[in-house]
Amino acid sequence: MPTGRLAKWQILLTEFDFVYVTRTAIKSQALADHLDENPVDDEYQPLSTYFPDEEVNSVEVIPEDTKTWKMFFDGAVNAKGVGIGAIFISPMGQHYPATARLRFFCMNNTAEYEACIMGMNMSIDTDVEELLIIGDSDLIIRQAQGEWETRDIKLISYRQHVEDLSKRFKSVEFGYIPRFHNELADALATLAALLPYLGNIYIDLLEIQIRERHGYCNTVKVKPDSQPWYHDIKRFLKTKEYLDQANGDQKRTIRRLASSFFLSGEVLYKRTPYLNLSRCVDAKEAKKIMNEVHSGVCETHMNGYVLAKKILWAID
């Protein structure tokens, strides 16, 4: 609340049509004052804020009916070592991974070049004539395309070797993609960088299995005549009876757990820290609730955490 002279002047000025606004930041005001005091002449042209290809949301790299192979490459440098990886995709859609661990020191850009050269050499050995090389290193792709100059002495030899290898193809093109679209090649390079060198030890091919259920689903069996998990608590609140042959510790546990629950008729509720009551349901009711909330009449798909929160809100 305004006090003192500020309140006095505010009362005196109420008879006028004044509108009070909040003053902007001092930095912005200083910039506006500077531009006002130093106007530019008529020859001034504003900077162009247009970025090339900013209106392009997606790029179709290659048609499906061509005979061009695709190669995605990437390099990884971390404290464990240096690894490179490449993914070859045939015109029919088959994926052929390749990876290697470098036993010499490399920077990020040189590791990217090593991955590209490894993939090009493998393409030449398999008699690939048309190749589309795709990577997430804008520097390597621009230099290979000839759009950027190579000023780093360490990269000049790499760029020249890439140009020599490109002449051995019938057609070769380079394309850039964001890093999150190059996940397979990045995973191979990171795996090669993290694995220690094992000498002559042979490592079998890596097989990735697809599992659609939790590991414990095949071991948990629900008996058809089993009682719900809250049966003992509900019976104690209703009849003040304990389990048959229950000892003193088990009775104290039942009393302690029952203090957090509330029985209304035949429906059992649990008191939450926010003084709400959450309804207790058995396995059959829980499955029905999840089906209704996730893909039933509500028809909403969400992750597990959001689904659990929404169910708790619904049954409170």
Side-chain angles (χ1 to χ4, degrees):
M1 296 295 293
T3 57
R5 288 184 296 176
L6 181 61
K8 176 182 177 181
W9 280 106
Q10 185 175 2
I11 295 174
L12 294 176
L13 295 176
T14 52
E15 58 179 313
F16 302 100
D17 245 352
F18 287 147
V19 178
Y20 299 93
V21 296
T22 305
R23 181 179 175 85
T24 56
I26 301 299
K27 295 181 180 180
S28 302
Q29 187 63 38
L31 180 61
D33 294 341
H34 174 74
L35 295 176
D36 184 47
E37 296 174 359
N38 299 276
V40 296
D41 51 11
D42 297 336
E43 297 180 359
Y44 171 77
Q45 295 181 358
L47 295 176
S48 177
T49 58
Y50 172 77
F51 293 94
D53 300 331
E54 66 176 353
E55 72 280 355
V56 179
N57 293 327
S58 60
V59 178
E60 182 66 25
V61 179
I62 186 172
E64 294 291 340
D65 56 350
T66 63
K67 298 181 179 181
T68 304
W69 283 64
K70 298 179 183 179
M71 185 196 77
F72 296 83
F73 70 93
D74 195 12
V77 180
N78 51 46
K80 298 293 184 178
V82 182
I84 56 177
I87 296 289
F88 299 91
I89 303 179
S90 67
M92 302 301 296
Q94 292 88 352
H95 289 61
Y96 303 95
T99 183
R101 179 182 175 88
L102 305 183
R103 300 185 61 183
F104 53 89
F105 178 75
C106 279
M107 301 297 291
N108 291 329
N109 293 331
T110 54
E112 295 282 350
Y113 263 117
E114 289 286 347
C116 181
I117 291 174
M118 179 191 70
M120 296 180 71
N121 287 328
M122 295 182 65
S123 300
I124 294 174
D125 295 338
T126 54
D127 298 330
V128 175
E129 297 181 352
E130 300 179 3
L131 181 64
L132 175 62
I133 303 174
I134 305 172
D136 56 16
S137 176
D138 197 20
L139 175 66
I140 306 304
I141 298 300
R142 299 296 183 181
Q143 290 181 355
Q145 292 175 341
E147 298 180 2
W148 290 0
E149 297 181 0
T150 307
R151 299 181 180 179
D152 192 347
I153 300 178
K154 300 178 181 179
L155 302 182
I156 294 178
S157 301
Y158 281 105
R159 179 184 176 182
Q160 183 62 41
H161 190 57
V162 170
E163 292 180 357
D164 296 338
L165 293 176
S166 300
K167 298 177 181 178
R168 303 181 62 177
F169 294 92
K170 184 177 179 180
S171 68
V172 59
E173 296 181 4
F174 295 87
Y176 169 79
I177 59 172
R179 185 179 182 84
F180 57 86
H181 286 164
N182 199 23
E183 295 178 347
L184 292 178
D186 179 66
L188 289 175
T190 305
L191 180 64
L194 294 177
L195 286 177
Y197 178 67
L198 302 177
N200 296 325
I201 299 177
Y202 175 75
I203 301 178
D204 200 0
L205 296 177
L206 178 63
E207 180 182 358
I208 301 177
Q209 300 179 358
I210 299 177
R211 297 180 179 269
E212 298 180 353
R213 294 184 177 182
H214 298 284
Y216 56 80
C217 288
N218 295 328
T219 59
V220 176
K221 296 181 179 180
V222 179
K223 297 181 181 179
D225 56 345
S226 61
Q227 298 292 343
W229 61 271
Y230 53 85
H231 173 72
D232 299 330
I233 300 175
K234 183 177 180 180
R235 184 177 66 172
F236 176 79
L237 292 176
K238 190 175 183 179
T239 62
K240 300 298 180 180
E241 296 179 357
Y242 296 99
L243 295 171
D244 297 337
Q245 300 178 352
N247 54 30
D249 294 337
Q250 294 175 345
K251 293 180 180 179
R252 283 194 298 269
T253 302
I254 290 294
R255 291 196 300 268
R256 179 175 56 84
L257 293 176
S259 62
S260 301
F261 290 83
F262 172 75
L263 184 62
S264 176
E266 294 295 330
V267 181
L268 183 65
Y269 296 92
K270 187 179 186 302
R271 296 185 179 93
T272 64
Y274 303 101
L275 302 180
N276 295 328
L277 296 177
S278 296
R279 181 179 177 181
C280 300
V281 295
D282 55 14
K284 184 177 180 181
E285 293 176 333
K287 185 176 181 180
K288 180 180 179 181
I289 292 174
M290 287 190 295
N291 290 334
E292 290 292 336
V293 175
H294 183 65
S295 60
V297 294
C298 300
E299 201 69 27
T300 302
H301 298 277
M302 60 201 76
N303 57 28
Y305 179 79
V306 179
L307 177 62
K309 285 294 184 181
K310 189 170 183 179
I311 292 176
L312 290 177
W313 293 333
I315 64 177
D316 281 349

